[in-house]
Amino acid sequence: LVTLFVIVILFIANQACRALPFFIVDFSPHGNEYTAMNKSLHFGTGRYGLLATMGFTLPFFLGSFAGGVLADKTDRIRISVLAGIVWSACTICTAFATNYWHVLGLRALVGLAQSVTNPAAISLIGEDFPEARATVASVFGLGIYFGGGLASVAVGVNNHLGWRTTLSAFGVGSLLVSLLVFLARDPHRQQQADGNGGKQSALLVCESNERGHPHASPQIVGMLTAMRQGSANGASMMGQIIQKNMRACESSAAKW
């Protein structure tokens, strides 16, 4: 359950920062530079459309492939934390933007960082909850709505503190959540690391014995020697089979 709690709260922070720009713009005649980012940075609905759609979704689309590869090969909690730090920092930096292009570039980085979250979370859910994947995935998916609901709070904050302070507050909150998640561990990747470390230690013991050091365990050395011999015999048998097949092919070709 710790894993589920970790990925859900991080996903809520993810969705809150993603939806935040929708609540700090105002294209009505009553909008002002204090509460409306578009009024302060002087961009219209066309540029806002790019910011809200392709400015986020294209980097997210491209980053999802890399996120999947990383989730397969590295510590998924760690890469999720790193992604959270990046999108939180970008959210904070957006509060200090001086023009539209700064906001668009930071928005693209947010999309790129947030693309890592889903592959890592789905992989963790599949390994930690093999008998209840659908149930846990549905709980994880609720983060979309909790995060979106949390982002709507920005309307009230924005009215009192302005759009820049609102972005800073949400960015700092997301950063704190990411640092909290940093305390968690990816148990499966840790087990793999421990297993690789055990294999390396066993090989070092074998090498140590071969060099004449008396402290190596005879049982371990005998086991590893048998494994080596088995591998060598297997390779020899495979070579014989390949040679036999090649001779048969040559014989058939000669007949033709």
Side-chain angles (χ1 to χ4, degrees):
L1 291 180
V2 173
T3 301
L4 179 59
F5 173 75
V6 161
I7 61 178
V8 168
I9 63 170
L10 191 61
F11 193 50
I12 290 173
N14 175 313
Q15 294 298 312
C17 289
R18 180 184 303 188
L20 185 57
F22 306 149
F23 299 98
I24 57 174
V25 294
D26 186 355
F27 294 97
S28 73
H30 305 292
N32 60 77
E33 294 187 0
Y34 183 67
T35 60
M37 178 172 62
N38 58 296
K39 298 290 185 179
S40 178
L41 301 181
H42 310 290
F43 62 87
T45 54
R47 288 187 173 182
Y48 173 71
L50 176 61
L51 178 69
T53 56
M54 294 300 292
F56 178 89
T57 56
L58 183 59
F60 187 92
F61 168 77
L62 297 174
S64 294
F65 295 99
V69 173
L70 287 173
D72 284 336
K73 296 184 177 181
T74 60
D75 188 309
R76 292 156 293 188
I77 297 295
R78 290 291 177 266
I79 63 172
S80 296
V81 168
L82 180 60
I85 292 173
V86 172
W87 82 59
S88 301
C90 290
T91 302
I92 296 171
C93 289
T94 303
F96 301 94
T98 57
N99 60 60
Y100 169 80
W101 302 108
H102 291 165
V103 176
L104 182 62
L106 290 167
R107 180 72 170 167
L109 289 176
V110 169
L112 193 63
Q114 292 191 348
S115 66
V116 175
T117 307
N118 284 6
I122 292 170
S123 177
L124 283 167
I125 288 171
E127 289 187 0
D128 282 12
F129 306 95
E131 303 299 327
R133 294 178 184 176
T135 302
V136 176
S138 65
V139 173
F140 173 73
L142 291 176
I144 297 174
Y145 307 102
F146 279 110
L150 182 61
S152 68
V153 175
V155 174
V157 178
N158 187 32
N159 288 334
H160 290 87
L161 302 177
W163 70 271
R164 294 185 185 273
T165 303
T166 302
L167 280 166
S168 297
F170 272 76
V172 170
S174 179
L175 181 61
L176 292 176
V177 170
S178 300
L179 294 177
L180 176 64
V181 172
F182 184 76
L183 300 176
R185 294 289 184 273
D186 186 338
H188 302 282
R189 294 291 182 263
Q190 189 66 39
Q191 290 173 3
Q192 291 177 2
D194 292 342
N196 291 336
K199 292 177 181 178
Q200 292 177 356
S201 297
L203 290 173
L204 289 174
V205 169
C206 186
E207 291 177 359
S208 175
N209 184 74
E210 290 175 349
R211 293 171 182 170
H213 294 284
H215 64 270
S217 170
Q219 291 84 357
I220 293 177
V221 173
M223 180 181 66
L224 291 173
T225 302
M227 290 172 63
R228 287 181 173 180
Q229 291 175 349
S231 298
N233 292 337
S236 177
M237 291 177 63
M238 183 61 69
Q240 293 176 4
I241 292 172
I242 292 172
Q243 291 178 359
K244 183 177 179 180
N245 288 335
M246 289 178 66
R247 285 196 295 267
C249 291
E250 291 174 355
S251 176
S252 298
K255 292 178 180 181
W256 285 97

